[in-house]
Coordinates of all heavy atoms in Angstrom, one line a residue:
M240 N 23.6 137.9 28.5 CA 24.9 137.7 28.3 C 25.5 137.4 29.7 O 26.4 136.5 29.7 CB 25.7 139.1 27.9 CG 27.0 138.9 27.5 SD 27.1 137.7 26.1 CE 28.7 138.2 25.6
E241 N 25.1 137.9 30.9 CA 25.6 137.6 32.2 C 25.3 136.1 32.4 O 26.2 135.5 33.0 CB 25.0 138.4 33.3 CG 25.7 139.7 33.4 CD 25.1 140.6 34.5 OE1 24.8 139.9 35.5 OE2 25.1 141.8 34.4
A242 N 24.1 135.6 32.0 CA 23.8 134.2 32.4 C 24.7 133.3 31.6 O 25.1 132.2 32.1 CB 22.3 134.0 32.1
F243 N 24.9 133.7 30.4 CA 25.8 132.8 29.6 C 27.3 132.8 30.1 O 27.9 131.7 30.2 CB 26.0 133.2 28.1 CG 26.8 132.5 27.3 CD1 26.5 131.2 26.9 CD2 28.0 133.0 26.9 CE1 27.5 130.5 26.2 CE2 28.9 132.4 26.1 CZ 28.7 131.0 25.7
L244 N 27.8 133.8 30.5 CA 29.2 133.9 31.0 C 29.3 133.1 32.4 O 30.3 132.6 32.7 CB 29.6 135.4 31.3 CG 30.0 136.1 30.1 CD1 30.3 137.4 30.3 CD2 31.1 135.4 29.4
R245 N 28.2 133.1 33.2 CA 28.2 132.4 34.3 C 28.0 130.9 34.2 O 28.3 130.1 35.0 CB 27.1 132.8 35.3 CG 27.3 134.2 35.9 CD 26.1 134.5 36.7 NE 26.4 135.9 37.2 CZ 25.5 136.6 37.7 NH1 24.3 136.2 38.0 NH2 25.8 137.8 38.3
S246 N 27.6 130.4 33.0 CA 27.3 128.9 32.8 C 28.6 128.3 32.5 O 29.7 128.8 32.1 CB 26.4 128.9 31.5 OG 27.0 129.2 30.4
N247 N 28.5 126.9 32.6 CA 29.7 126.1 32.2 C 29.9 125.9 30.8 O 31.0 125.7 30.3 CB 29.4 124.7 32.9 CG 29.7 124.6 34.3 OD1 30.2 125.6 34.9 ND2 28.9 123.7 35.0
K248 N 28.8 126.3 30.0 CA 29.0 126.2 28.6 C 30.1 127.2 28.1 O 30.7 127.0 27.2 CB 27.6 126.5 27.9 CG 27.5 126.1 26.5 CD 26.1 126.4 26.1 CE 25.8 125.8 24.6 NZ 24.4 126.0 24.2
A249 N 30.0 128.4 28.7 CA 31.0 129.4 28.3 C 32.5 129.0 28.6 O 33.3 129.1 27.9 CB 30.7 130.7 29.1
V250 N 32.7 128.3 29.7 CA 34.0 127.7 30.0 C 34.4 126.6 29.0 O 35.5 126.6 28.6 CB 34.0 127.2 31.4 CG1 35.4 126.4 31.7 CG2 33.7 128.1 32.4
W251 N 33.5 125.8 28.7 CA 33.7 124.8 27.7 C 34.0 125.4 26.3 O 34.9 124.8 25.5 CB 32.7 123.7 27.5 CG 32.8 122.8 28.7 CD1 31.8 122.7 29.8 CD2 33.7 121.8 28.9 NE1 32.2 121.7 30.6 CE2 33.4 121.1 30.1 CE3 34.8 121.4 28.3 CZ2 34.1 120.1 30.7 CZ3 35.6 120.3 28.8 CH2 35.2 119.8 30.1
L252 N 33.4 126.4 25.9 CA 33.5 127.1 24.6 C 34.9 127.8 24.7 O 35.7 127.9 23.7 CB 32.5 128.0 24.3 CG 31.1 127.5 23.8 CD1 30.1 128.6 23.6 CD2 31.3 126.7 22.6
M253 N 35.3 128.3 25.8 CA 36.6 128.9 25.9 C 37.7 128.0 25.8 O 38.7 128.2 25.1 CB 36.8 129.8 27.1 CG 38.1 130.3 27.4 SD 38.5 131.6 26.3 CE 38.1 133.1 27.2
I254 N 37.5 126.8 26.4 CA 38.5 125.7 26.2 C 38.7 125.2 24.7 O 39.7 125.1 24.3 CB 38.2 124.5 27.2 CG1 38.4 125.1 28.6 CG2 39.0 123.3 26.9 CD1 38.0 124.1 29.7
L255 N 37.5 125.1 24.1 CA 37.5 124.6 22.7 C 38.1 125.7 21.9 O 39.0 125.3 20.9 CB 36.1 124.3 22.3 CG 35.9 123.9 20.9 CD1 36.6 122.5 20.6 CD2 34.5 123.8 20.5
A256 N 37.9 127.0 22.1 CA 38.6 128.0 21.3 C 40.1 128.1 21.5 O 40.8 128.2 20.6 CB 37.9 129.4 21.7
D257 N 40.4 127.7 22.8 CA 41.9 127.7 23.1 C 42.6 126.6 22.3 O 43.6 126.7 21.7 CB 42.2 127.5 24.5 CG 41.9 128.8 25.3 OD1 41.7 129.8 24.6 OD2 41.7 128.6 26.6
V258 N 42.0 125.5 22.4 CA 42.5 124.2 21.6 C 42.5 124.5 20.1 O 43.6 124.2 19.5 CB 41.6 123.0 22.0 CG1 42.1 121.8 21.0 CG2 41.8 122.5 23.4
L259 N 41.6 125.0 19.6 CA 41.5 125.2 18.1 C 42.6 126.4 17.8 O 43.2 126.3 16.7 CB 40.1 125.7 17.7 CG 39.1 124.6 17.7 CD1 37.7 125.2 17.3 CD2 39.5 123.4 16.8
A260 N 42.7 127.4 18.6 CA 43.6 128.4 18.3 C 45.1 127.9 18.4 O 45.9 128.2 17.5 CB 43.5 129.6 19.4
V261 N 45.4 127.1 19.4 CA 46.8 126.5 19.5 C 47.0 125.6 18.3 O 48.1 125.5 17.7 CB 47.0 125.8 20.8 CG1 48.2 125.1 21.0 CG2 47.0 126.8 21.9
L262 N 46.0 124.7 17.9 CA 46.1 123.8 16.8 C 46.4 124.6 15.6 O 47.3 124.2 14.8 CB 44.9 122.9 16.7 CG 44.9 122.0 15.5 CD1 46.0 120.9 15.8 CD2 43.5 121.3 15.4
G263 N 45.7 125.7 15.3 CA 45.9 126.5 14.1 C 47.4 127.1 14.2 O 48.0 127.2 13.2
W264 N 47.8 127.5 15.3 CA 49.1 128.1 15.4 C 50.1 127.1 15.1 O 51.1 127.5 14.4 CB 49.4 128.6 16.9 CG 50.6 129.4 17.1 CD1 50.8 130.7 16.9 CD2 51.8 128.9 17.8 NE1 52.1 131.0 17.3 CE2 52.7 129.9 17.7 CE3 52.2 127.6 18.2 CZ2 54.0 129.8 18.2 CZ3 53.5 127.5 18.7 CH2 54.3 128.5 18.7
F265 N 50.0 125.7 15.6 CA 51.0 124.8 15.2 C 50.9 124.4 13.8 O 52.0 124.2 13.2 CB 50.7 123.6 16.1 CG 51.4 123.7 17.5 CD1 50.6 123.8 18.6 CD2 52.8 123.8 17.5 CE1 51.1 123.9 19.8 CE2 53.4 123.8 18.8 CZ 52.7 123.9 20.0
I266 N 49.8 124.4 13.2 CA 49.6 124.1 11.7 C 50.4 125.1 10.9 O 51.1 124.8 10.0 CB 48.2 124.1 11.3 CG1 47.5 122.7 11.9 CG2 48.0 124.0 9.8 CD1 46.1 122.6 11.8
V267 N 50.2 126.4 11.3 CA 50.9 127.5 10.6 C 52.5 127.3 10.7 O 53.2 127.4 9.7 CB 50.5 128.9 11.0 CG1 51.4 129.9 10.6 CG2 49.1 129.1 10.5
K268 N 52.9 127.0 11.9 CA 54.4 126.8 12.2 C 54.9 125.7 11.5 O 55.9 125.7 11.0 CB 54.6 126.7 13.8 CG 54.5 127.9 14.6 CD 55.6 128.9 14.2 CE 55.6 130.0 15.2 NZ 56.7 130.9 14.9
L269 N 54.1 124.5 11.4 CA 54.6 123.3 10.8 C 54.7 123.6 9.3 O 55.5 123.0 8.6 CB 53.8 122.2 11.0 CG 53.8 121.6 12.4 CD1 52.8 120.5 12.7 CD2 55.2 121.0 12.7
N270 N 54.0 124.5 8.7 CA 53.9 124.8 7.3 C 55.0 125.9 7.0 O 55.0 126.4 5.8 CB 52.6 125.1 6.7 CG 51.7 123.9 6.6 OD1 52.2 122.9 6.3 ND2 50.5 124.0 7.0
G271 N 55.8 126.2 7.9 CA 56.9 127.3 7.7 C 56.4 128.7 7.8 O 57.0 129.6 7.4
G272 N 55.3 128.9 8.4 CA 54.8 130.3 8.5 C 55.5 130.9 9.7 O 56.0 130.3 10.6
T273 N 55.3 132.2 9.8 CA 55.8 132.9 10.8 C 54.7 133.7 11.6 O 53.5 133.5 11.2 CB 56.8 134.1 10.4 OG1 56.1 135.0 9.5 CG2 58.0 133.4 9.6
E274 N 55.0 134.5 12.6 CA 54.0 135.2 13.3 C 53.3 136.2 12.4 O 52.1 136.5 12.7 CB 54.5 136.0 14.5 CG 55.1 135.0 15.6 CD 54.0 134.2 16.3 OE1 53.0 134.8 16.5 OE2 54.3 133.2 16.6
L275 N 53.9 136.6 11.4 CA 53.3 137.6 10.4 C 52.1 137.0 9.6 O 51.2 137.6 9.3 CB 54.2 138.1 9.4 CG 55.4 138.9 10.0 CD1 56.5 139.3 9.0 CD2 54.9 140.1 10.8
H276 N 52.1 135.6 9.5 CA 51.1 134.9 8.8 C 49.9 134.6 9.7 O 48.8 134.2 9.1 CB 51.7 133.6 8.2 CG 52.7 133.8 7.1 ND1 54.0 133.7 7.3 CD2 52.4 134.2 5.8 CE1 54.6 134.0 6.2 NE2 53.7 134.3 5.3
F277 N 50.1 134.6 11.0 CA 49.0 134.3 11.9 C 49.0 135.2 13.1 O 49.3 135.0 14.2 CB 49.1 132.9 12.3 CG 48.0 132.2 13.0 CD1 46.8 132.2 12.3 CD2 48.0 131.6 14.2 CE1 45.7 131.5 12.7 CE2 46.8 131.1 14.7 CZ 45.7 131.0 14.0
P278 N 48.7 136.6 12.8 CA 48.8 137.7 13.7 C 47.7 137.8 14.8 O 47.7 138.7 15.4 CB 48.9 138.8 12.8 CG 48.1 138.6 11.7 CD 48.2 137.1 11.4
L279 N 46.8 136.8 14.8 CA 45.6 137.2 15.6 C 45.9 137.1 17.1 O 45.3 137.8 18.0 CB 44.5 136.1 15.3 CG 43.9 136.1 13.9 CD1 42.9 135.0 13.7 CD2 43.3 137.5 13.7
F280 N 47.0 136.3 17.5 CA 47.4 136.2 18.8 C 48.8 135.5 18.9 O 49.2 135.0 18.0 CB 46.4 135.3 19.6 CG 46.5 133.9 19.3 CD1 47.3 133.0 20.0 CD2 45.7 133.4 18.2 CE1 47.4 131.7 19.6 CE2 45.8 132.1 17.9 CZ 46.6 131.2 18.6
G281 N 49.5 135.8 20.0 CA 50.6 135.0 20.3 C 50.1 134.1 21.4 O 49.0 134.3 22.0
L282 N 50.9 133.1 21.8 CA 50.4 132.2 22.8 C 50.3 133.0 24.2 O 49.5 132.7 25.0 CB 51.5 131.0 23.0 CG 51.3 130.0 21.8 CD1 52.3 128.9 22.0 CD2 50.0 129.5 21.6
S283 N 51.1 134.0 24.4 CA 50.9 134.8 25.6 C 49.7 135.6 25.5 O 49.1 135.9 26.6 CB 52.2 135.7 25.7 OG 52.3 136.6 24.6
G284 N 49.2 136.1 24.3 CA 48.0 136.9 24.2 C 46.8 135.9 24.6 O 45.9 136.4 25.1
L285 N 47.0 134.7 24.2 CA 45.9 133.7 24.4 C 45.7 133.6 25.8 O 44.6 133.6 26.4 CB 46.2 132.4 23.8 CG 45.1 131.4 23.8 CD1 43.9 131.7 23.1 CD2 45.7 130.1 23.2
M286 N 46.9 133.5 26.6 CA 46.8 133.4 28.1 C 46.2 134.6 28.7 O 45.4 134.5 29.7 CB 48.3 133.2 28.6 CG 48.1 132.6 30.1 SD 49.7 132.4 30.8 CE 50.7 131.8 29.6
L287 N 46.4 135.7 28.1 CA 45.8 137.0 28.7 C 44.4 137.0 28.6 O 43.6 137.5 29.4 CB 46.5 138.2 28.0 CG 45.9 139.6 28.5 CD1 46.2 139.8 30.0 CD2 46.4 140.7 27.5
W288 N 43.8 136.5 27.4 CA 42.5 136.5 27.2 C 41.7 135.5 28.1 O 40.6 135.8 28.7 CB 42.1 136.1 25.8 CG 42.2 137.3 24.8 CD1 43.1 137.3 23.9 CD2 41.4 138.4 24.7 NE1 43.0 138.5 23.2 CE2 42.0 139.2 23.7 CE3 40.4 138.9 25.5 CZ2 41.4 140.5 23.4 CZ3 39.8 140.2 25.1 CH2 40.3 141.0 24.2
N289 N 42.5 134.5 28.4 CA 41.9 133.5 29.5 C 41.7 134.0 30.7 O 40.8 133.9 31.5 CB 42.7 132.2 29.4 CG 42.5 131.4 28.2 OD1 41.5 131.5 27.6 ND2 43.4 130.5 27.9
V290 N 42.8 134.7 31.2 CA 42.8 135.4 32.5 C 41.7 136.4 32.7 O 41.0 136.5 33.7 CB 44.2 136.1 32.8 CG1 44.2 137.0 34.0 CG2 45.3 135.0 33.0
L291 N 41.6 137.3 31.6 CA 40.5 138.3 31.6 C 39.1 137.7 31.6 O 38.2 138.1 32.3 CB 40.6 139.2 30.4 CG 41.7 140.2 30.4 CD1 41.8 140.9 29.0 CD2 41.6 141.1 31.6
F292 N 39.0 136.6 30.9 CA 37.6 135.9 30.9 C 37.3 135.3 32.3 O 36.2 135.6 32.7 CB 37.7 134.7 29.9 CG 36.5 133.8 29.9 CD1 35.3 134.2 29.5 CD2 36.6 132.5 30.5 CE1 34.2 133.3 29.6 CE2 35.6 131.7 30.6 CZ 34.3 132.1 30.2
F293 N 38.3 134.6 32.8 CA 37.9 134.0 34.2 C 37.9 135.0 35.3 O 37.1 134.9 36.3 CB 39.0 132.9 34.5 CG 38.7 131.7 33.8 CD1 39.5 131.2 32.6 CD2 37.6 130.9 34.1 CE1 39.3 130.1 32.1 CE2 37.4 129.7 33.3 CZ 38.2 129.3 32.3
W294 N 38.7 136.2 35.2 CA 38.5 137.2 36.2 C 37.2 137.9 36.0 O 36.5 138.1 37.1 CB 39.6 138.2 35.9 CG 39.5 139.5 36.7 CD1 39.9 139.5 38.1 CD2 39.1 140.7 36.3 NE1 39.6 140.9 38.5 CE2 39.1 141.6 37.5 CE3 38.5 141.3 35.1 CZ2 38.7 142.9 37.5 CZ3 38.1 142.6 35.1 CH2 38.2 143.4 36.2
S295 N 36.7 138.2 34.8 CA 35.3 138.8 34.7 C 34.3 137.8 35.2 O 33.2 138.2 35.8 CB 35.1 139.3 33.2 OG 35.1 138.0 32.3
R296 N 34.5 136.6 34.9 CA 33.4 135.5 35.3 C 33.4 135.4 36.8 O 32.3 135.3 37.5 CB 33.8 134.1 34.7 CG 32.8 133.0 34.9 CD 33.2 131.9 34.1 NE 32.2 130.9 34.1 CZ 32.0 129.9 34.9 NH1 33.1 129.6 35.7 NH2 31.1 129.0 35.0
A297 N 34.6 135.5 37.5 CA 34.6 135.4 39.0 C 33.9 136.7 39.6 O 33.2 136.6 40.5 CB 36.0 135.4 39.4
R298 N 34.1 137.9 38.9 CA 33.4 139.1 39.4 C 31.9 139.0 39.2 O 31.2 139.5 40.2 CB 33.9 140.3 38.7 CG 35.4 140.7 39.0 CD 35.7 142.0 38.7 NE 34.8 142.9 39.1 CZ 35.0 144.3 39.2 NH1 36.1 144.8 39.0 NH2 34.0 145.1 39.5
L299 N 31.5 138.5 38.2 CA 30.1 138.3 37.9 C 29.4 137.4 39.1 O 28.4 137.6 39.5 CB 29.7 137.7 36.5 CG 29.7 138.8 35.5 CD1 29.5 138.0 34.1 CD2 28.6 139.8 35.6
N300 N 30.1 136.2 39.4 CA 29.6 135.3 40.3 C 29.8 135.9 41.6 O 28.9 135.5 42.5 CB 30.5 134.0 40.2 CG 30.1 133.2 39.0 OD1 29.0 133.3 38.4 ND2 31.1 132.4 38.5
A301 N 30.7 136.8 42.0 CA 30.7 137.4 43.3 C 29.6 138.4 43.5 O 29.2 138.6 44.7 CB 32.1 138.1 43.5
K302 N 29.2 138.9 42.4 CA 28.0 140.0 42.6 C 26.7 139.3 43.0 O 25.9 139.9 43.7 CB 27.7 140.7 41.3 CG 28.7 141.6 40.9 CD 28.2 142.4 39.6 CE 29.3 143.4 39.2 NZ 28.9 144.1 37.9
S303 N 26.5 138.0 42.6 CA 25.2 137.3 42.9 C 25.3 136.6 44.2 O 26.1 136.5 45.0 CB 24.8 136.4 41.8 OG 25.8 135.4 41.6

């Protein structure tokens, strides 16, 4: 798992997940949905996950 988190593939998958999540959020909004219909994250929560991901990745890279 550590080797995967250190790889560039993990960064690209995180970026892809962000794009798909934001796209899904906009699709729900355009169809008249509210936050109750798509409660998995808010856009601020998505940013928090990115910060945690890159912080943990930086700590792993600093160990080696």
